[in-house]
Amino acid sequence: MMAFIVCICGIYFGMNFMNGTMMGMQSNAIAYGEWRDGKTAKAFIMSTFQWCPKIANAVAGLLTGFGLAAIGFVSGMEASPELAQGMVNIICLIPAVCFGVAFAAFFFGYRLTPKKMERIAVDLAAREAEKGADGK
């Protein structure tokens, strides 16, 4: 029972860390969009917050279903070394590969660095000050 509680606590810690990261990336995307176009897309971008978990659930279901079909699993089958190795691959290897692909995509594809975000914040503040001075 204690191992289960520890695992669940670890999962929630990881989820909260990723949710915080996702919110930071969304706020960066909002600032970048406003800086680039002069218009805010805050409502749309914030509405995408729930897309990530839903897409993850869909992919997890697909991987589980196709993975079980690929290893030839049927209800009530005898345990075999091949079945055990297939289950290990479904539970550990496939998620690790997906994590690696996602990590590489974010590491190499996310271009809003802290330095660039500081410049964007300064530019947006100057734009707001200019609007305030014009009275618009």
Side-chain angles (χ1 to χ4, degrees), residues 38-81:
K39 300 175 190 170
T40 185
K42 184 176 186 176
F44 174 74
I45 292 172
M46 294 307 285
S47 71
T48 64
F49 185 75
Q50 287 302 313
W51 289 3
C52 292
K54 289 178 181 179
I55 291 170
N57 285 337
V59 170
L62 285 171
L63 289 175
T64 302
F66 285 119
L68 289 173
I71 63 173
F73 179 81
V74 292
S75 179
M77 82 184 280
E78 291 284 325
S80 67

Side-chain angles (χ1 to χ4, degrees), residues 1-9:
M1 182 68 133
M2 187 53 86
F4 177 76
I5 292 171
V6 169
C7 288
I8 292 296
C9 290

Side-chain angles (χ1 to χ4, degrees), residues 63-74 77-95:
L63 289 175
T64 302
F66 285 119
L68 289 173
I71 63 173
F73 179 81
V74 292
M77 82 184 280
E78 291 284 325
S80 67
E82 293 81 17
L83 176 64
Q85 184 59 46
M87 294 300 282
V88 167
N89 289 344
I90 291 171
I91 294 169
C92 299
L93 186 62
I94 293 174

Side-chain angles (χ1 to χ4, degrees), residues 122-136:
V122 168
D123 289 349
L124 286 175
R127 216 182 274 174
E128 285 296 317
E130 187 177 303
K131 280 184 186 178
D134 292 344
K136 293 182 183 178

Side-chain angles (χ1 to χ4, degrees), residues 94-118:
I94 293 174
V97 169
C98 291
F99 172 77
V101 169
F103 180 80
F106 281 115
F107 187 76
F108 295 111
Y110 190 72
R111 301 286 184 220
L112 296 177
T113 63
K115 190 175 266 190
K116 186 170 187 174
M117 289 310 300
E118 286 177 21

